[in-house]
């Protein structure tokens, strides 16, 4: 996003205010207040440059695309003969927007869909591919949709189309194998199609016929998905048996550093984690596990359940639910250690996001499509900050799902396309990728609200993370308070601040959304701070996500 003059930035930040169900947000410009206000700081942020946590894996900025509702068809894929601007059938607007945020990895084809998918249906000449019933065809949410690819998948989008999409946006593919309904032998064939040298096998010749003689060299492979549920209803021990078959002896490697990901727990299910890790160890399969997947969706009950029409309680309940990610990571990580003392196996949070119960949708074929407000942007910011603070544990994460679905970065329909507030957080946070996470201590007054039974609840007021590349320090902060700005004194231990650029995402009303007609309602604003301003206290507006790009002296 282009810089805007400081005066305009202040004016736009001053416009903050909530409508509909919520009290108006206290009017509060963001920015530095100078020495005079330092004594008035109510919060404190201390960045400890000499306390590194670990490198933030670029793969933490991963995405997820499933053959579900409008994610692939009407989302990623419009088809080669479409009037919608496309590159080989892939929506051009999506490619352009993704390039801006430097995506590292994209997971495909599911989700639950993966364990019903035969990759062989999606290769070869497009007009000869079979049409199959989609895994999600029976979902009650699709009841109004007579037909179309959300119910009956034409397989127009298959392995090569997905590889092209990843290449266009500069991301690595992360494939999920079908463990529930296909044998390991078929999975071996998929590895051949993707990674065998040109002309070596029948499958690599089929890939060449699709235009790609060079192998895709795909290294990330999920062995199933949610094996405890839609991925087969396995016990951990049964799944470990399957895992050994899929990832064990004889898997064709073709010189690629294959990284297998085992299907781990839903949230903090330590029982599944403990039994699976133990069963894999007992079968000598643990050294074939690169990552253990974990899924955590957040949600708010009652009046917080709608994506847009939430109340004060719904605001905080969702943030509390999202913030559980930190304790879930700690619990699963601690349990993994029982079988893997050195923590060679890392965590892969390959589904996360806010899953709202009800949500205004763009099109009824877009199953689970959920509008996105600044509340979802805060979920995005605080979750990415949690991943940074746990950079030594989390090796990959994939927000669910990229477009027209749960916690999406985009909505599209026909030739219409719009980016959500969560997309803007990804753009703001992109500088963290591959950087060294450093310990960041934040103290601020807690925020409070009334629970359904009237009891007072509380939550942190300000939180964030910092990372370093050379002399460039990135600090990202979320202010969870609906109404109160926070004046934070900023201390960088081990460095001096030379210059700073602030980018702030806030909304006029917390119910505001970006729509096809009005795409720029919730967008970030950027301002450079002068040397004089750098000596003071930074004001974080209420209900906001902020990035401070700091140049150290
Ligand atoms: O993201 C939607 C679904 O949620 C996925 O298919 C599944 O893995 C999870 O339960």
């Amino acid at each position: 996003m282009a810089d805007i003059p400081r005066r305009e930035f202040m004016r736009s930040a001053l416009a903050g205010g909530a409508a509909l169900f919520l009290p108006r947000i206290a009017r509060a410009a963001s920015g530095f207040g100078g020495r005079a206000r330092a004594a008035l700081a109510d919060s404190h942020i201390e960045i400890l440059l000499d306390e590194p946590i670990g490198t933030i894996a670029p793969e933490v900025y991963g995405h997820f695309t499933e053959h579900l509702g409008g994610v692939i068809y009407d989302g990623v894929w419009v088809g080669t003969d479409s009037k919608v601007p496309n590159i080989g059938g892939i929506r051009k607007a999506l490619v352009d927007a993704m390039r801006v945020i430097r995506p590292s990895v994209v997971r495909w084809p599911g989700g639950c869909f993966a364990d019903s998918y035969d990759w062989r249906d999606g290769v070869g000449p497009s007009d000869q591919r079979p049409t199959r019933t989609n895994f999600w065809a029976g979902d009650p949410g699709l009841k109004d949709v007579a037909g179309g690819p959300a119910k009956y998948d034409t397989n127009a989008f298959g392995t090569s189309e997905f590889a092209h999409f990843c290449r266009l946006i500069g991301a690595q593919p992360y494939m999920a194998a079908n463990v529930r309904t296909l044998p390991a032998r078929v999975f071996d064939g998929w590895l051949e199609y993707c990674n065998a040298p040109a002309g070596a096998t029948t499958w690599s010749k089929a890939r060449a016929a699709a235009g790609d003689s060079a192998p895709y060299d795909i290294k990330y492979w999920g062995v199933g998905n949610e094996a405890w549920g839609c991925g087969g209803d396995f016990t951990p021990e049964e799944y470990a048996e399957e895992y050994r078959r899929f990832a064990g002896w004889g898997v064709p490697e073709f010189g690629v550093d294959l990284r297998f990901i085992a299907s781990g727990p839903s949230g903090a299910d330590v029982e599944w984690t403990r039994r699976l890790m133990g069963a894999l160890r007992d079968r000598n399969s643990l050294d074939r596990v690169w990552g253990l997947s974990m899924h955590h969706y957040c949600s708010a009950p009652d009046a917080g359940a709608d994506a847009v029409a939430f109340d004060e309680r719904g605001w905080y309940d969702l943030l509390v639910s999202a913030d559980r990610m930190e304790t879930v990571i700690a619990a699963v990580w601690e349990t993994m250690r029982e079988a893997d003392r050195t923590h060679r196996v890392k965590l892969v949070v390959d589904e996360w996001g806010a899953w709202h119960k009800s949500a205004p949708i763009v099109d009824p074929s877009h199953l689970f499509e959920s509008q996105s407000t600044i509340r979802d942007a805060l979920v995005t910011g605080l979750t990415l900050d949690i991943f940074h603070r746990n950079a030594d544990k989390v090796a990959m994460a994939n927000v669910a799902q990229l477009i027209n679905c749960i916690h999406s970065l985009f909505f599209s329909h026909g030739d219409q396309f719009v980016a959500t507030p969560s997309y803007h957080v990804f753009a703001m946070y992109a500088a963290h990728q591959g950087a060294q996470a450093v310990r960041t201590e934040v103290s601020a007054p807690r925020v409070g609200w009334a629970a359904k039974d009237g009891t007072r609840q509380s939550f942190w007021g300000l939180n964030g993370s910092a990372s370093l590349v050379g002399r460039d320090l990135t600090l990202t902060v979320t202010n969870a308070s609906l109404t109160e700005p926070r004046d934070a004194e900023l201390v960088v231990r081990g460095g001096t601040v030379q210059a700073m650029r602030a980018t702030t995402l806030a909304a006029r009303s917390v119910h505001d959304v970006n729509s096809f007609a009005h795409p720029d309602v919730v967008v970030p604003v950027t301002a450079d701070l002068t040397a004089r301003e750098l000596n003071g206290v930074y004001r974080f507006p209420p209900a906001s996500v902020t990035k401070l790009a700091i140049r150290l002296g």
Side-chain angles (χ1 to χ4, degrees):
M1 140 123 212
D3 288 356
I4 64 166
R6 181 170 171 77
R7 206 173 337 113
E8 196 183 328
F9 164 66
M10 300 302 272
R11 196 165 358 106
S12 132
L14 275 164
L20 281 176
F21 301 90
L22 297 166
R24 288 192 71 75
I25 290 175
R27 288 177 179 264
S30 55
F32 266 84
R35 282 184 196 284
R37 226 175 55 200
L40 301 176
D42 58 13
S43 306
H44 189 82
I45 299 176
E46 189 164 357
I47 302 170
L48 300 125
L49 295 182
D50 56 0
E51 292 200 35
I53 299 169
T55 300
I56 297 169
E59 287 82 356
V60 160
Y61 283 75
H63 302 274
F64 175 34
T65 53
E66 177 167 3
H67 288 239
L68 185 166
V71 178
I72 298 296
Y73 304 106
D74 205 24
V76 177
W77 181 255
V78 296
T80 46
D81 55 0
S82 171
K83 287 197 180 74
V84 179
N86 67 85
I87 309 170
I90 293 158
R91 185 183 291 277
K92 184 173 179 307
L94 175 64
V95 171
D96 293 343
M98 286 298 275
R99 281 180 178 158
V100 173
I101 61 170
R102 297 192 283 117
S104 52
V105 63
V106 186
R107 181 174 183 239
W108 177 81
C112 295
F113 175 84
D115 280 291
S116 67
Y117 180 60
D118 189 332
W119 69 271
R120 296 168 298 185
D121 291 342
V123 298
S126 181
D127 58 355
Q128 290 169 30
R129 297 183 190 176
T131 294
R132 304 278 188 218
T133 309
N134 185 288
F135 172 88
W136 296 101
D139 193 281
L142 272 174
K143 62 182 181 304
D144 295 332
V145 182
K151 267 196 173 167
Y152 303 108
D153 194 323
T154 61
N155 282 297
F157 189 87
T159 300
S160 289
E161 290 76 17
F162 176 65
H164 296 165
F165 173 53
C166 290
R167 195 186 296 152
L168 282 171
I169 62 173
Q172 297 195 64
Y174 164 23
M175 323 290 267
N178 179 344
V179 173
R180 183 173 63 88
T181 59
L182 286 177
R185 176 84 183 80
V186 178
F187 174 55
D188 288 357
W190 206 9
L191 280 159
E192 265 194 10
Y193 183 89
C194 295
N195 292 350
T201 72
T202 302
W203 283 127
S204 69
K205 286 177 189 161
R207 184 190 66 230
D212 299 313
S213 59
Y216 299 140
D217 290 343
I218 297 174
K219 62 180 179 184
Y220 294 114
W221 294 89
V223 179
N225 167 74
E226 298 193 347
W228 38 263
C230 65
D233 272 326
F234 293 114
T235 65
E237 294 75 22
E238 287 166 347
Y239 173 66
E241 284 293 315
E242 295 297 329
Y243 189 92
R244 177 165 61 177
R245 256 189 286 279
F246 274 70
W249 287 100
V251 170
E253 299 195 352
F254 305 113
V256 177
D257 169 25
L258 295 180
R259 296 178 169 185
F260 291 113
I261 292 145
S263 174
S266 170
D269 185 347
V270 292
E271 165 80 359
W272 174 271
T273 308
R274 179 173 293 121
R275 281 175 57 187
L276 176 62
M277 290 291 285
L280 289 165
R281 179 200 51 209
D282 296 346
R283 286 159 182 77
N284 293 325
S285 292
L286 209 48
D287 60 350
R288 300 291 292 168
V289 182
W290 177 80
L292 183 76
S293 84
M294 181 269 275
H295 295 174
H296 174 61
Y297 287 101
C298 61
S299 59
D302 312 316
D306 191 85
V308 177
F310 51 84
D311 63 4
E312 180 197 55
R313 180 150 39 89
W315 169 271
Y316 289 117
D317 281 350
L318 186 72
L319 300 188
V320 168
S321 175
D323 196 55
R324 272 190 206 115
M325 180 69 85
E326 191 132 35
T327 48
V328 169
I329 289 172
V332 174
W333 186 250
E334 205 36 49
T335 308
M336 286 165 72
R337 201 169 66 86
E338 295 170 12
D340 179 29
R341 307 301 294 181
T342 61
H343 274 309
R344 196 192 51 75
V345 179
K346 301 297 180 200
L347 258 175
V348 172
V349 186
D350 55 15
E351 289 183 33
W352 67 268
W355 196 331
H356 303 298
K357 210 171 188 172
S358 60
I361 54 166
V362 171
D363 186 87
S365 69
H366 295 184
L367 185 61
F368 306 150
E369 184 171 66
S370 181
Q371 256 299 358
S372 178
T373 66
I374 189 74
R375 184 174 64 149
D376 300 280
L378 264 89
V379 168
T380 307
L382 75 83
T383 304
L384 292 172
D385 285 327
I386 290 171
F387 294 151
H388 305 157
R389 295 198 294 267
N390 291 279
D392 53 332
K393 308 178 186 72
V394 182
M396 191 199 288
N398 308 75
V399 59
Q401 298 196 15
L402 183 65
I403 183 165
N404 298 337
C405 198
I406 309 156
H407 207 93
S408 289
L409 272 65
F410 311 99
F411 299 122
S412 64
H413 189 42
D415 62 356
Q416 305 179 95
F417 181 80
V418 66
T420 66
S422 287
Y423 168 77
H424 295 300
V425 177
F426 267 81
M428 288 164 64
Y429 276 48
H432 281 299
Q433 294 188 55
Q436 180 64 239
V438 290
R439 192 156 77 86
T440 306
E441 293 297 325
V442 182
S443 62
R446 289 178 72 80
V447 289
W449 72 99
K452 199 177 176 187
D453 63 4
T455 56
R456 290 301 292 172
Q457 306 292 312
S458 78
F459 187 55
W460 50 255
L462 213 57
N463 213 341
S465 69
S467 72
L468 191 65
V469 181
R471 304 311 296 161
D472 289 318
L473 180 66
T474 302
L475 171 67
T476 45
V477 175
T478 51
N479 180 355
S481 173
L482 262 176
T483 50
E484 300 304 317
R486 289 286 163 238
D487 292 322
E489 189 185 4
L490 184 61
V491 177
V492 181
R493 291 256 178 255
T496 47
V497 179
Q498 205 173 65
M500 182 166 339
R501 171 171 286 193
T503 304
T504 307
L505 185 68
R508 189 176 288 266
S509 154
V510 293
H511 306 292
D512 279 350
V513 299
N514 294 338
S515 64
F516 297 138
H518 304 286
D520 295 327
V521 175
V522 187
V523 291
V525 289
T526 297
D528 288 319
L529 298 161
T530 66
R532 197 175 58 81
E533 289 168 320
L534 294 182
N535 288 324
V537 167
Y538 192 85
R539 169 161 284 195
F540 294 93
S544 68
V545 182
T546 300
K547 172 179 83 163
L548 299 179
I550 301 167
R551 182 73 188 158
L552 297 175

